[in-house]
Amino acid sequence: MKPSLILVCLLCVTVTAAAQLFVPANQLFGRADSLRGQLTPLRTCYDISYYHLDVKVDPDARHISGSNLFRFTAVEDFSRLQFDLFDNLRIDSVMYNGQELPFKREYNAVFIDFPAAVAKGRIDSFVVHYSGHPVQAKRAPWDGGFDFKKDSNGKHWIATACQGLGASVWWPNKDHQSDEVDSMLISISVPQGLTNVSNGRFRGREDLGDGYTRFNWFVSNPINNYNVAVNIGDYVHFADTFHGENGVLDLDYWVLRENEAKAKPHFRANVKPMLRAFEHWFGPYPFYEDGYKLVETAHLGMEHQSAVAYGNKYQNGYLGRDGSGTGWGNKWDFIIIHESGHEWFGNNITASDIADMWIHESFTNYSESLYIDYHFGKRAGQEYVHGNRRGIQNLAPIIGTYHVNHEGSGDMYNKGGVLHNMVRTIIDDDEKWRQILRGLNKQFYHRTVDYGDIVDYISKHAGRDLSSVYAQYVRHANIPTLEFYFNPDGKVFCRWIADEPAFNMPIRIRTKGSKYQFIQPTRQLTPVSIPGLTRSNLEVDTFNFYVGVLVNE
Ligand SMILES: [Zn+2]
C-alpha cells in the first residue's frame, strides 16, 4: 500500500469523507465500478494460475506493446469470461489455440467468447496482445500508471504504480485481488543501456537485435496484480545476505548510479534491523524463494512484492519528517520499514476485496511501532502510536464498500495502528499477542482474506470476543466514549456510548498514582468497584485506549 500520507493524504481523506457524508452511497458507484469490483460468474469461472507478461517499453514515445499469457483452471463449465484492461489501450488480438477469439469491451472490462465450452477442471490458456500509450501517473504513487521521469544525467527513469486504480491500467489481467497467480514470468524490453528490474528472481537478459534488451524476471510465489512492477533506469546493483528464520535470504539493491555511495550505508542501517524486528513479530519473511529487493524510484514508494519501490531519498523519517511528532519516527527510514512491513500484511496476507485494504494498512502502520518496540522498547513504540493520533480524522469508516473497488478512509493507517495497540493492551499478554501476529501470517500464508477471517482469528486466539471492538473502530467513523456517573453516596457507575449496539471493551482505569486495573464496561450502566475512586482521582488509560471520557455527577 501506499505510504501513510502524512501531509498529502489529509487532503484526500477530507475530500473522500465529505463525499461519503453528503452523497448517498447508491449514487457513488456506477456500472464501471461494478465491472471492476464485483466477482461475477464471468470472473469466478476461471482460476488464474500463471501469467507471462511480455512488454516492450518505448520511453521516448511513452508507448508500450506486448502480450500477456493467461493460464487458468476452469472452475466450472464456461464459454465466456471477463478480464480487464483500461480502454485507452488497444487490444490487437486475443489468441486461443492458434485462433483469434472475438471480444467485446465495456468500460475497462473485456469479454471474450470461446468457440466451445471450456470444461470444469480443464487447464487452458489464452494470450492477449495489446499496445498503446498507458495512463501517465501525475503524482505516483497516489494515482496510478506509468511514471516517466529522467535522472540527473538525463537518462530515462521509469516506474509503474497502480494500487487502487488497478494493474489493468497498464497490462491485461483478471483485476481483482481475490485471485492471485501461483507464479509469473515478467519480461520487459527496454532500449539498450537501460536496465529493467521487476519482482522475483532475475532469469537473464536477451539482446533482441533491434536496439532493445529483454529482461526476464520470475516470481515463484503468489503475487497480487498491483504489485507487479516495471522499474527502468540506469541502475547499479549490489547485494548482501540476511541469515533469518528460514535460512539465507538474498538481499538485492538496485539504485541510480549517482546514489550508490549514499545507498550502501543507508540500506545497511535499515534493512537487516527491519528484517530482524519483523521476523520476530510476524514470522519468517514470506518470500525467501524470490529474495528481498529495494529498487530506487522517482516516486516515494510502494510495497511491490520482493521488489519494494524506494524513493525516500536516503533519509530517515517520511521524507525527513516524523509524523508522530515524538522523535521515534526519525530514527529509521519510513519507506523501508513501512513498505517492507507490507511483505507480511498486504503481500503475504492480501485482502480479497479492496474494501478491506484497512487490513494491509492498519497492520503495516502498526508494524512501524513494533519496529520501534523491538529496537527501542515497548514504551517507545506506544508513544509513536499515540503520537500518530494527531493525523486521525474520524470522518468516515476505515472499511470501504465491497464489490465496487472502493477503499475506506485514510484513517486506516493511524487509527488502525491505534486499534491494534489497544487490542494488544486488552489481551495483556505480549507473548500471546506476538503469537497471534505470527499465527495470522502462518494461517493465511500466501492467501487472500476478508474482515471476518482476521477478526475471528484474533478473537479465537486471544480467548475473548473482540468482534464489537473491531466493528466499532473499523465500521464506524466515531470512537466510543466511556461515561462515568459519580453518585453522592460514593457509588460509581459507567457505560460505553458507541455506535455498535453490543459494544463492550475492557479498559484500564486507576485512582491517581495506583496501578491500572481492567474494568469491563458495556452499553448498560454497570457499577465500578474500585475502592476510593472519586471524580478527582479517576485516571483512564487514554494513552493506550483511544476513547472519549465523560464524567457526570
Ligand atoms: Zn502502506
Side-chain angles (χ1 to χ4, degrees), residues 314-327:
Y314 309 101
Q315 52 191 336
N316 282 349
Y318 178 103
L319 289 173
R321 297 188 302 269
D322 170 15
S324 78
T326 61

Side-chain angles (χ1 to χ4, degrees), residues 1-4 163 303 338-339 342 357 360-361 364-365 413:
M1 98 79 100
K2 291 159 213 177
S4 166
Q163 191 190 19
E303 67 258 29
H338 178 94
E339 305 306 342
H342 278 303
M357 184 173 158
H360 298 198
E361 297 305 343
T364 302
N365 175 281
Y413 294 82

